Amino acid sequence: MHSSPIEPSTIVLFGATGDLAKRKLYPAIFSLYQRGLLPASFSVIGVARKDWSNETFRDHVLHSLKEFGRFSAEKQGLWEAFADKLSYVSVDLQNAASYIKLKNELTETEQRSQLPGNRVFYLAISPELFGDVSNNLKSSELLETNGWKRLVIEKPFGHDYQSANELNDKIRSVFREEEIYRIDHYLGKEMIQNIEVIRFANSFFEPLWNNNHIANVQITSSETVGVEERGGYYEKSGALRDMVQNHMLQMVTMIAMEPPSRLVTEAIRDEKVKVLRSLRRFSEDEVKDYVIRGQYDRGQLAGKDMAGYLEESGVNPHSTTETFVSAKLYIDNFRWAGVPFYIRTGKRMPNKATEIIIQFKTLPKNLYFNKQGNLEPNLLSIRIHPQEGIYFKLNAKKPGTDGILSPIPLDFCQNCETGINSPEAYERLLHNCLEGDSTFFTRWDEVSLAWKFVDPISAAFSQGKTELHRYAAGSWGPEASAQMLTQDGFRWWPVNGQEESTAGNESYFVRA
Ligand code: BG6
């Protein structure tokens, strides 16, 4: 993990006419340019099947910046110079002969702009094409360069361990592991990258970060959207493959990992892999005791009527695909033995929030009790989205009273300060890739272990070994998800800054 100057390079962007490029990648590239983080000489070559001219491509990029960008290219007088770096080539991705056009364009661009041949091949395309495109890049000699070459690929990386392994073999026959940047965009989020800093740069967390002091960990990633236009994809993936196999498990590893010996990429990734190795795997028959799956039904969200999942377009009206998963995970190592990690993710939930809450154990002897006979536990919340920051819940004396304690928040909201406009995850990840830092990308052993954990769960789902609970759109998921915690004596804490009223949670001095 380091910060090196970016060398002059070319981004060859496959899927240049697609949604990801439009929503995320062009705005990210332009933001880096606007912030002066790209070298003076760089170029972007858009590649897709459509027969576009350079002008059409540039118009498309300009529209994308207007609609989705953090900065306005035109207002800042930067558009002309930026547009000059963009060109487009139409390629039939499965036809090796058609790559010759790309090779010519790339060679000319590198000569014209005096680029040393450093090349990023970004595949923002359907994963079924990753193998073919890698082979075609090789056979058309696009990888023969004096500079470095890197491959960036998007999820889903396979749909189970076997398919992921096959895909990996294909890519590895062309690229070395160090040249492959597997994107998990959660790892590009400001507060996810901040987890290791919060943990390892503050002396008071590490001594408490274990099963002696932590009662449970709760990781929520809730969304208000349904499946939108993605019914076809989602039907085959469901929340388990779409969110748990990657984003949710990545957050678990960041919270649970041991401090790395040094802040270098492989040392950090090694520690993450160890967490995945210690993650308890459930047999297909055990899944029902640890995992809740749900599917949204009709309901109300923000005062509007919402359709059920089975009524969405592209969805089989008898589908059993899950749109919600919550689970109780255990990491069977010395630090975490016995501490449940509760995770939950779903579509059509009451609000959009990604948040990690650490609940600390209660004190060995309680001197203060509330009406329920307890003292409110201390909570540390790492807020990832939409608020970015950290929040502690402590107990303190209620001012002006004689014997009353009340929970108080210590709240640091990083993006509440005016003027702070955190870079988008893609901006950070692209920058990391261009500087050759793969810390926040997933290594093959992480991906493979994540699949090995998920595979028995998906088998239990598809064989109906777990109940598919319906939940109303606009709710926090099935009741069974709440019960999973109450059975353990816990409950889901509210997320997204929606603190509960502290009335009734007050505690009282108890004098012996
Ligand atoms: C993607 C999933 O990886 O993450 C989507 O495919 C999901 O289904 C998205 O909506 C959530 O990302 P974020 O950054 O909005 O929390």
Side-chain angles (χ1 to χ4, degrees):
M1 200 178 160
H2 52 90
S3 199
S4 331
I6 292 178
E7 294 162 309
S9 39
T10 301
I11 302 175
V12 182
L13 177 51
F14 288 80
T17 57
D19 213 43
L20 180 71
K22 182 171 75 181
R23 286 171 183 274
K24 302 286 183 190
L25 304 180
Y26 301 132
I29 297 170
F30 179 73
S31 295
L32 293 176
Y33 178 73
Q34 191 275 347
R35 293 165 64 205
L37 295 174
L38 292 181
S41 53
F42 81 95
S43 62
V44 177
I45 303 181
V47 179
R49 182 190 279 269
K50 284 185 186 148
D51 196 13
W52 280 6
S53 65
N54 284 343
E55 279 57 48
T56 315
F57 177 57
R58 288 174 187 151
D59 279 351
H60 178 76
V61 174
L62 183 59
H63 274 111
S64 129
L65 301 185
K66 281 186 185 151
E67 202 176 345
F68 301 106
R70 285 207 294 144
F71 305 104
S72 160
E74 283 172 314
K75 248 193 229 156
Q76 307 201 358
L78 293 174
W79 171 245
E80 297 300 324
F82 182 70
D84 213 35
K85 315 233 175 240
L86 310 175
S87 61
Y88 179 85
V89 191
S90 155
V91 174
D92 173 0
L93 298 188
Q94 282 168 303
N95 174 3
S98 125
Y99 284 63
I100 187 75
K101 281 192 279 177
L102 175 58
K103 191 176 175 208
N104 294 340
E105 175 64 28
L106 187 52
T107 317
E108 274 169 33
T109 304
E110 287 178 346
Q111 275 166 5
R112 194 175 55 241
S113 311
Q114 295 179 330
L115 291 161
N118 297 324
R119 300 171 179 174
V120 173
F121 297 96
Y122 196 124
L123 307 193
I125 52 174
S126 164
E128 287 93 67
L129 295 169
F130 290 170
D132 286 349
V133 171
S134 307
N135 280 332
N136 290 339
L137 286 173
K138 186 176 180 184
S139 63
S140 51
E141 298 173 351
L142 275 149
L143 305 180
E144 285 171 25
T145 169
N146 292 329
W148 46 252
K149 53 188 190 307
R150 293 175 191 148
L151 178 76
V152 183
I153 46 182
E154 285 284 337
K155 73 177 247 286
F157 197 82
H159 61 269
D160 55 13
Y161 170 70
Q162 196 190 330
S163 57
N165 196 27
E166 285 164 13
L167 175 58
N168 197 51
D169 284 348
K170 282 192 195 157
I171 294 172
R172 285 294 307 282
S173 67
V174 178
F175 289 93
R176 287 180 289 125
E177 176 66 31
E178 312 81 83
E179 294 172 332
I180 304 173
Y181 289 68
R182 297 179 194 83
I183 293 238
D184 181 315
H185 79 278
Y186 268 52
L187 293 178
K189 290 182 190 268
E190 183 73 38
M191 285 306 295
I192 301 261
Q193 297 200 349
N194 213 346
I195 293 175
E196 64 177 30
V197 182
I198 293 170
R199 285 191 55 196
F200 305 135
N202 293 299
S203 58
F204 53 89
F205 284 127
E206 245 344 83
L208 303 180
W209 212 258
N210 55 48
N211 49 10
N212 291 328
H213 300 282
I214 292 179
N216 70 73
V217 176
Q218 304 184 6
I219 305 181
T220 299
S221 187
S222 59
E223 296 186 87
T224 51
V225 290
V227 283
E228 317 294 295
E229 313 301 314
R230 302 164 74 219
Y233 153 77
Y234 201 81
E235 273 287 90
K236 284 188 241 131
S237 110
L240 184 69
R241 293 187 173 98
D242 188 46
M243 295 290 293
V244 176
Q245 188 271 345
N246 36 73
H247 311 319
M248 302 303 284
L249 288 183
Q250 283 295 331
M251 288 192 275
V252 170
T253 60
M254 298 292 288
I255 291 293
M257 67 188 262
E258 294 299 314
S261 53
R262 284 177 302 145
L263 280 186
V264 294
T265 303
E266 295 316 326
I268 294 172
R269 288 161 133 196
D270 286 348
E271 295 307 334
K272 289 171 66 194
V273 164
K274 284 187 206 161
V275 174
L276 292 167
R277 284 205 195 107
S278 307
L279 186 61
R280 188 182 303 173
R281 289 199 196 147
F282 310 128
S283 69
E284 289 174 25
D285 292 328
E286 283 170 335
V287 168
K288 63 179 182 336
D289 301 326
Y290 295 93
V291 185
I292 307 294
R293 65 172 172 146
Q295 187 186 72
Y296 66 80
D297 217 334
R298 289 183 183 177
Q300 283 227 324
L301 189 61
K304 285 198 192 132
D305 288 334
M306 295 289 156
Y309 178 70
L310 300 179
E311 299 163 305
E312 304 277 17
S313 76
V315 170
N316 172 352
H318 304 289
S319 169
T320 56
T321 300
E322 76 288 350
T323 60
F324 173 96
V325 171
S326 67
K328 173 161 61 168
L329 313 184
Y330 282 102
I331 296 159
D332 291 322
N333 61 17
F334 258 61
R335 187 188 282 265
W336 294 113
V339 179
F341 279 63
Y342 300 108
I343 60 169
R344 65 175 165 173
T345 181
K347 303 267 185 208
R348 285 277 188 256
M349 294 174 75
N351 53 45
K352 165 93 182 145
T354 303
E355 192 159 332
I356 301 172
I357 296 179
I358 317 284
Q359 177 175 339
F360 289 88
K361 286 189 172 168
T362 44
L363 291 159
K365 177 170 167 52
N366 264 4
L367 298 172
Y368 312 100
F369 294 93
N370 65 12
K371 286 178 189 145
Q372 292 78 41
N374 295 311
L375 186 64
E376 285 291 298
N378 291 140
L379 302 180
L380 164 66
S381 161
I382 302 176
R383 291 181 171 155
I384 292 152
H385 185 87
Q387 296 179 6
E388 292 175 2
I390 49 179
Y391 161 91
F392 285 104
K393 193 161 118 184
L394 308 177
N395 291 306
K397 185 172 162 300
K398 193 170 184 178
T401 65
D402 198 11
I404 300 181
L405 265 74
S406 153
I408 54 156
L410 281 187
D411 206 351
F412 165 64
C413 176
Q414 164 160 301
N415 60 348
C416 294
E417 309 283 321
T418 46
I420 296 189
N421 177 2
S422 295
E424 268 273 328
Y426 276 95
E427 211 169 309
R428 216 174 278 107
L429 292 174
L430 256 176
H431 187 254
N432 287 163
C433 168
L434 286 165
E435 62 181 355
D437 181 353
S438 52
T439 311
F440 291 110
F441 295 81
T442 45
R443 207 168 62 183
W444 164 242
D445 46 0
E446 290 179 71
V447 177
S448 67
L449 287 163
W451 277 123
K452 284 180 181 170
F453 170 77
V454 157
D455 279 354
I457 305 178
S458 30
F461 283 6
S462 62
Q463 292 161 26
K465 290 187 173 179
T466 59
E467 188 179 340
L468 178 65
H469 301 271
R470 310 272 166 200
Y471 62 99
S475 73
W476 281 103
E479 189 45 37
S481 165
Q483 280 162 8
M484 180 168 67
L485 274 74
T486 23
Q487 278 161 8
D488 297 344
F490 301 126
R491 65 196 175 92
W492 289 107
W493 295 101
V495 293
N496 205 11
Q498 299 190 330
E499 274 61 282
E500 297 163 313
S501 148
T502 53
N505 290 343
E506 290 163 344
S507 309
Y508 301 89
F509 288 85
V510 175
R511 296 185 205 281

